[in-house]
Amino acid sequence: MGPIHFRNVILENRYSFLDYIFGGCQISLSIAIDFTASNGYPRAKNSLHYFNPKTNPYISAILSIGQILQEYDTDKNIPVLGFGAQPLGVNKISHCFSLNGNIFDPEVHKLEAVLETYRRNVLKLQFSGPTNFSDIIKYIGDFAEWNVTNGSKHNYFVILILTDGQISDMNDTIDEIVRCSELPVSIIVVGVGSRDFSRMSLLKSDITPLYSKKYGKCAARNIVQFVPFEKYADDQEKLTSETLEGLPNQLVDYMTMKKISTKVGEDEKLEVDFYDMRKQKFIEQLGKRANEKGVKEILKTGFPVEDADVLIEAIRGGYKNILCNY
């Protein structure tokens, strides 16, 4: 065998997860909680949301896994979302509502506030179903896309979804995962309880890439990690390992795919807030369909869902926001 000659050699830096973190990359954590009826009514002792006396499987999962991820969240302002239920006073099941009662300002500060917001509001929801993930993923995907479109390259979004059961909108969820695979997004799904979570493996693209019929393409990278909480609840070290198994590589894969260096540019600060933008577009969407004074009064105290028809009905019914923002 003779010598091998290369006509051209290109050397590219492969930065590490810590290179991006120390370089100023900001990680934004969002938490979404399953309030479907399969969890059981929270006052029932067999419910996964039952307080015994001050904790339950969801609180344990939020605390154990949330504290792992919170350490990477730059400002520790965490959107807290719910799905599969109706907030009291809202006459429609929602698969993406803010647990603090304000979809245009769903963030609370630090994990302690996440837990307190959950404790104060879980009994103010009418549990229903089905178990749909797509609306939650789309909402955070929109947030990520807004950042990218407006020049913010070093914000990375992590969605923590806590659920007790199988996904009902699998095709729509796959569509949103494929879309988010080209955005700075990772999804960590935590199985709460002891149900069969075998189909969660269908959400991963590490072996066979997910394919979206809606977008007509495969996922650009794997962005989903599934953690069965009950399996690792008594082993914090193993729980940490399972939770963070995919995230560092997923972030680096995205940055490499988009050819983004570790250095944050001085022009990356967003001039318009994502939530303000959504709120303004929502008001424009309402147009003359609703009384302007009524809209302003409700939005001043907060409304949990981004749905014009539901808001108009709420105005007519004299809606008052009873969800607490801790």
Side-chain angles (χ1 to χ4, degrees):
M1 181 180 291
I4 298 175
H5 299 278
F6 295 94
R7 291 184 177 180
N8 190 26
V9 176
I10 299 175
L11 298 178
E12 293 185 352
N13 285 326
R14 173 73 176 183
Y15 298 111
S16 71
F17 177 72
L18 291 179
D19 287 334
Y20 283 104
I21 296 300
F22 292 139
C25 180
Q26 300 184 36
I27 292 182
S28 299
L29 172 64
S30 303
I31 296 178
I33 303 171
D34 183 341
F35 293 108
T36 55
S38 59
N39 286 279
Y41 183 64
R43 291 192 186 277
K45 290 186 177 181
N46 63 347
S47 171
L48 293 171
H49 287 284
Y50 178 75
F51 295 99
N52 184 26
K54 293 184 178 181
T55 190
N56 63 35
Y58 275 93
I59 289 178
S60 297
I62 292 170
L63 188 59
S64 298
I65 295 179
Q67 68 185 0
I68 297 168
L69 297 173
Q70 180 183 243
E71 294 307 309
Y72 295 95
D73 190 298
T74 310
D75 60 12
K76 309 232 177 342
N77 291 328
I78 305 170
V80 190
L81 307 169
F83 59 95
Q86 289 179 234
L88 294 183
V90 175
N91 295 321
K92 185 179 180 180
I93 299 165
S94 174
H95 300 293
C96 182
F97 61 88
S98 58
L99 196 54
N100 71 355
N102 190 351
I103 194 65
F104 299 114
D105 188 13
E107 296 179 351
V108 300
H109 188 59
K110 293 188 176 181
L111 199 61
E112 294 83 358
V114 172
L115 293 170
E116 190 59 29
T117 301
Y118 167 77
R119 289 189 183 103
R120 291 188 181 193
N121 293 321
V122 65
L123 294 175
K124 299 173 185 176
L125 306 172
Q126 183 178 333
F127 287 26
S128 187
T131 305
N132 291 354
F133 284 9
S134 60
D135 286 359
I136 291 284
I137 298 172
K138 183 181 185 306
Y139 182 79
I140 301 301
D142 289 348
F143 201 166
E145 187 173 52
W146 165 259
N147 274 261
V148 171
T149 302
N150 287 274
S152 181
K153 300 177 182 178
H154 289 84
N155 275 16
Y156 197 87
F157 295 80
V158 178
I159 313 171
L160 174 61
I161 302 177
L162 301 109
T163 183
D164 82 313
Q166 299 289 358
I167 303 171
S168 302
D169 63 337
M170 182 64 78
N171 289 336
D172 290 340
T173 294
I174 288 174
D175 287 338
E176 293 307 320
I177 290 172
V178 170
R179 175 200 175 209
C180 284
S181 71
E182 297 182 354
L183 295 169
V185 175
S186 283
I187 303 166
I188 299 174
V189 180
V190 175
V192 179
S194 56
R195 290 178 177 242
D196 177 15
F197 295 107
S198 58
R199 294 188 73 228
M200 291 297 178
S201 62
L202 298 176
L203 301 180
K204 300 184 72 174
S205 291
D206 48 353
I207 299 175
T208 303
L210 293 179
Y211 178 77
S212 166
K213 291 182 180 179
K214 178 180 179 179
Y215 296 109
K217 58 185 175 182
C218 292
R221 58 195 178 96
N222 179 41
I223 65 170
V224 179
Q225 178 73 17
F226 175 70
V227 181
F229 178 70
E230 194 171 83
K231 183 177 179 180
Y232 305 109
D234 297 325
D235 187 342
Q236 186 65 35
E237 184 177 342
K238 186 65 175 175
L239 182 65
T240 301
S241 174
E242 288 294 313
T243 301
L244 297 178
E245 181 182 31
L247 178 58
N249 285 337
Q250 289 169 11
L251 184 147
V252 172
D253 287 347
Y254 172 78
M255 297 296 182
T256 303
M257 179 176 72
K258 298 297 183 179
K259 295 181 170 55
I260 298 172
S261 71
T262 59
K263 186 177 180 181
V264 178
E266 295 181 0
D267 59 344
E268 288 192 36
K269 186 176 180 180
L270 298 177
E271 296 183 2
V272 180
D273 180 75
F274 170 75
Y275 300 120
D276 288 341
M277 177 276 296
R278 294 279 287 213
K279 184 176 180 178
Q280 186 57 43
K281 283 193 172 183
F282 183 70
I283 292 172
E284 292 172 1
Q285 179 188 353
L286 283 167
K288 297 181 180 179
R289 296 177 60 200
N291 177 274
E292 183 178 350
K293 183 179 179 182
V295 171
K296 287 183 177 180
E297 286 180 356
I298 283 188
L299 293 184
K300 184 178 180 180
T301 58
F303 196 65
V305 299
E306 192 174 347
D307 188 311
D309 293 331
V310 173
L311 178 66
I312 291 170
E313 188 174 348
I315 292 173
R316 293 169 182 163
Y319 174 82
K320 293 187 182 300
N321 188 1
I322 63 171
L323 297 180
C324 300
N325 187 4
Y326 175 73

